[in-house]
Amino acid sequence: MADIILDGHKLQWHKERVEAWLNNERIAPITIDCALTRRCTYKCVYCYGTLQENDEKLMNLDVLYRFMDDAAWLGVKAISFVSDGESTCSPFLYDVILRGKSNVIDMALGTNGYLLKEERLEEILPALTYLRINISASNPKRYAQIHGCKESAYFKVIDNIKTCVKIKQKKGLAVTIGLQMVLLPSFRDEIVPLAKLGKELGVDYLVIKHCSDDEMGSLGVNYTEYFELVDELKKAEQVSDNKYTVKAKWSKILSGGKRNYIQCYGPPFIMQFSGSGLVAPCGMLFNTRYKNYHIGNIAENSFKDIFKSERYWEVMNLLASDKFDARTMCGSLCLQHKVNEYLWDLKNNKKPILSQEGEAPQHLNFI
């Protein structure tokens, strides 16, 4: 099986679009992360969604189908339902996944797994490139404390994970089923137990990531405390075998929350939409107080028209200008962080675009 990149990016396998961007061409995103709603069944202690409040519009099936069709027409290669809301709260999730897949878009879903409908899993799992369950504890009590839910939710989620694994194995599906732990230093007691739980469940991987905070430190994340977790994280990675991977996002966990670039070049390649329908460069700029960076709303206008608008490119160019400083004007360690590092080196340090040889990694279009 091809490698899976859980700490890095895949832009080097999209050379044509990178070259077009370097030539100042207007490129469509390769990947879009979005949600179908801002609602959620949980109240996780680390939730960045509480910092992303904006006006919500009606995201009905017609709006979402139009978005899928527009994305395909523009050349978007992958869409992941991972953003500021729990997309399983939307009654349209399953139909929209199938619509996107029928448009030859790679589809993925990140979810807490609580509301997954067992009767529709056999229908959507073949259409997904990956299914990722967000889980930060290995036992009911800690799960309820961290995720802000009842202890009974833990058992329901574990059952849903087992069902997904069973369907994948029975049908020989290519979908990757993974777990994601959002790690705060106070969760250190759950690192190794969660790695062992993932192995017992038969999923493909567990990725352990940092917790992002905004530029004001609203969630109170102390990034220096991550350095104290190195031994536990290494123990967790040792649980891996030839069928199961545990991977810590070392490059971010050990970054101290710092950036080595100034401008933000990533959004033209990977954008994030709010579950409100808001089109903005990234999740850290969803909140209404960042309205100077807001571009439009897919519930009000087609994404095709939004992409073609001067407003879209005005915002993209602003982020890439000397009027924007990613070190102080947005939150820490964003979705576009690794892409930004790569593009900064290409544009400012004049590093070459390296040709990639051999087998491409898994999930190639989720950059």
Side-chain angles (χ1 to χ4, degrees), residues 51-236:
L51 311 178
Q52 296 170 310
E53 294 181 8
N54 59 83
D55 294 334
E56 190 162 3
K57 306 296 181 182
L58 179 62
M59 298 273 278
N60 60 32
L61 193 57
D62 288 341
V63 165
L64 296 169
Y65 274 0
R66 181 180 67 187
F67 169 53
M68 290 292 119
D69 296 347
D70 285 348
W73 186 87
L74 289 168
V76 175
K77 296 183 178 182
I79 294 176
S80 51
F81 292 130
V82 183
S83 188
D84 61 339
E86 173 55 53
S87 288
T88 56
C89 291
S90 169
F92 311 120
L93 171 66
Y94 304 93
D95 293 328
V96 176
I97 288 172
L98 297 176
R99 179 68 162 234
K101 187 63 176 179
S102 71
N103 281 337
V104 199
I105 298 173
D106 290 348
M107 302 299 298
L109 172 62
T111 171
N112 59 35
Y114 180 72
L115 288 181
L116 284 173
K117 294 181 179 179
E118 184 175 348
E119 67 272 17
R120 299 210 67 177
L121 289 175
E122 291 200 19
E123 191 176 5
I124 65 159
L125 283 174
L128 292 174
T129 299
Y130 71 80
L131 170 65
R132 191 183 74 208
I133 307 295
N134 297 309
I135 178 171
S136 292
S138 63
N139 66 81
K141 184 176 181 180
R142 286 288 278 147
Y143 184 90
Q145 290 171 347
I146 292 170
H147 291 290
C149 60
K150 295 180 179 179
E151 290 186 20
S152 59
Y154 171 84
F155 298 101
K156 185 175 181 182
V157 170
I158 295 299
D159 284 343
N160 284 341
I161 294 170
K162 290 178 178 177
T163 299
C164 291
V165 171
K166 183 178 179 180
I167 293 171
K168 173 184 173 170
Q169 294 174 345
K170 178 183 177 181
K171 294 183 172 291
L173 300 178
V175 60
T176 302
I177 300 174
L179 308 180
Q180 175 176 271
M181 179 187 197
V182 177
L183 176 64
L184 283 173
S186 59
F187 303 168
R188 67 181 305 160
D189 59 308
E190 287 297 327
I191 295 172
V192 174
L194 190 58
K196 293 178 179 178
L197 176 62
K199 192 171 191 175
E200 292 170 8
L201 292 173
V203 299
D204 297 298
Y205 70 84
L206 165 69
V207 61
I208 304 170
K209 62 166 288 186
H210 64 292
C211 178
S212 293
D213 207 342
D214 66 9
E215 71 272 28
M216 294 171 287
S218 299
L219 297 178
V221 183
N222 184 346
Y223 288 101
T224 63
E225 293 181 356
Y226 282 114
F227 294 97
E228 301 172 9
L229 307 180
V230 170
D231 288 345
E232 292 298 307
L233 290 168
K234 287 183 176 179
K235 288 178 185 177

Side-chain angles (χ1 to χ4, degrees), residues 271-320:
M271 289 196 71
Q272 291 175 280
F273 296 176
S274 170
S276 68
L278 173 69
V279 177
C282 71
M284 292 188 169
L285 298 176
F286 284 168
N287 194 287
T288 303
R289 68 174 178 267
Y290 303 116
K291 62 183 180 180
N292 289 341
Y293 303 102
H294 293 177
I295 300 169
N297 192 297
I298 59 171
E300 298 174 329
N301 299 102
S302 73
F303 179 53
K304 188 188 299 184
D305 288 342
I306 293 171
F307 174 81
K308 289 181 176 181
S309 70
E310 288 306 311
R311 174 62 179 168
Y312 185 100
W313 294 103
E314 176 184 305
V315 173
M316 296 297 160
N317 292 333
L318 174 60
L319 294 174

